[in-house]
Amino acid sequence: MGKKGIIFVVSAPAGTGKTTLVRMLQDEFPNVIESISYTTRKKRPQEIPGRDYYFITHQEFEQKIQDGEFLEYAEVFGQYYGTSRKFLNEQQKIGNHVILVIDTQGAMYLKEKIQAVFIFIRPPSMEVLKERLIARKSESDEAIAERLLWAKKEIECMKSYDYEIVNDRLDHAYDVLRSIIIAETHRIK
Ligand code: ADP
Ligand code: 5GP
């Protein structure tokens, strides 16, 4: 009774499938809430403001940094992304578990700051990752090349996480992810 919600930090190279997997979790577990980050990057056509991100300007983002509104923030592919401290506190207070889908820089920073379960999702191979990025049709060839280069660096951070999930077959990867959530939310200590 009155137990504070757990924080799950999920990272994966762009195109691995983290958005897909976290959406599945939210459909199954009503008390698992994805934190909505602020970003300065442009909205993709299929994205909805307030569901996928809060899209703001560089100036607005910098003001929020000055006001201490971010639990963490990072620059990824030339754009700012940040986690709202207020959103997280409010959700935890009412007993919800919160998932932060953030990059490895933000995750490594939070490792020193907060208690959380760190989950790394990786693609079965770099070739498959490239295929998924191409299939998603949301980035230019240049942006895909940049993401693949950065993916190699992110995969090197995997050893600092608590769990590793390979997103080969979606149903298998989802089984592992939901098992981690179920186990961690039933932990006594
Ligand atoms: P991320 O959020 O990690 O950038 P997305 O969830 O947007 O990745 O997934 C990238 C693309 O790969 C999407 O088109 C998605 O439908 C597809 N995808 C996700 N998981 C799998 C999988 N296990 N097998 C095949 N395609 C997948
Ligand atoms: P995308 O632009 O593809 O949605 O996200 C690019 C990267 O930014 C992904 O690795 C994503 O997890 C990360 N990201 C999204 N929100 C945040 C955030 O609030 N903080 C940090 N550090 N990274 C974020």
Side-chain angles (χ1 to χ4, degrees):
M1 230 176 55
K3 227 174 135 188
K4 219 173 155 196
I6 298 172
I7 302 173
F8 294 94
V9 174
V10 174
S11 304
T16 301
K18 56 187 176 302
T19 308
T20 309
L21 285 162
V22 170
R23 288 278 142 77
M24 290 166 79
L25 267 188
Q26 292 209 274
D27 289 344
E28 183 174 352
F29 301 96
N31 63 339
V32 173
I33 311 291
E34 184 182 351
S35 158
I36 304 157
S37 296
Y38 286 86
T39 184
T40 58
R41 94 147 153 71
K42 280 209 177 76
K43 188 182 91 57
R44 294 180 186 137
Q46 73 283 11
E47 286 179 326
I48 300 170
R51 182 197 72 173
D52 296 285
Y53 285 106
Y54 295 112
F55 297 95
I56 60 173
T57 64
H58 264 84
Q59 208 179 2
E60 287 168 332
F61 200 101
E62 273 159 9
Q63 187 60 51
K64 285 184 183 296
I65 296 175
Q66 277 186 20
D67 296 342
E69 286 190 29
F70 295 122
L71 178 71
E72 64 75 38
Y73 70 93
E75 198 182 321
V76 189
F77 309 125
Q79 300 295 337
Y80 279 134
Y81 294 81
T83 303
S84 161
R85 199 187 288 281
K86 188 165 164 251
F87 180 91
L88 184 81
N89 289 344
E90 283 173 356
Q91 292 298 328
Q92 271 199 303
K93 223 188 242 167
I94 56 172
N96 281 334
H97 307 298
V98 185
I99 305 204
L100 310 183
V101 184
I102 62 176
D103 85 318
T104 48
Q105 303 172 82
M108 293 303 98
Y109 170 81
L110 286 185
K111 244 196 133 194
E112 311 299 322
K113 302 264 171 205
I114 58 163
Q115 206 183 345
V117 178
F118 291 80
I119 303 170
F120 193 89
I121 307 174
R122 67 176 180 87
S125 68
M126 293 304 284
E127 289 70 36
V128 171
L129 183 62
K130 189 175 175 182
E131 282 165 19
R132 285 187 194 160
L133 281 168
I134 293 170
R136 192 169 69 179
K137 294 192 175 100
S138 59
E139 272 89 18
S140 64
D141 289 353
E142 199 185 322
I144 289 177
E146 184 186 28
R147 276 156 177 72
L148 289 172
L149 209 62
W150 182 243
K152 289 195 181 131
K153 286 219 176 317
E154 293 208 287
I155 290 170
E156 284 168 17
C157 293
M158 192 169 70
K159 54 187 178 298
S160 302
Y161 285 69
D162 299 312
Y163 294 100
E164 170 196 3
I165 303 174
V166 182
N167 185 16
D168 192 346
R169 269 187 51 184
L170 189 63
D171 55 345
H172 287 178
Y174 183 64
D175 270 352
V176 181
L177 181 60
R178 71 188 291 281
S179 303
I180 295 168
I181 304 297
I182 293 168
E184 289 289 344
T185 54
H186 289 77
R187 194 189 268 278
I188 295 168
K189 58 179 176 183

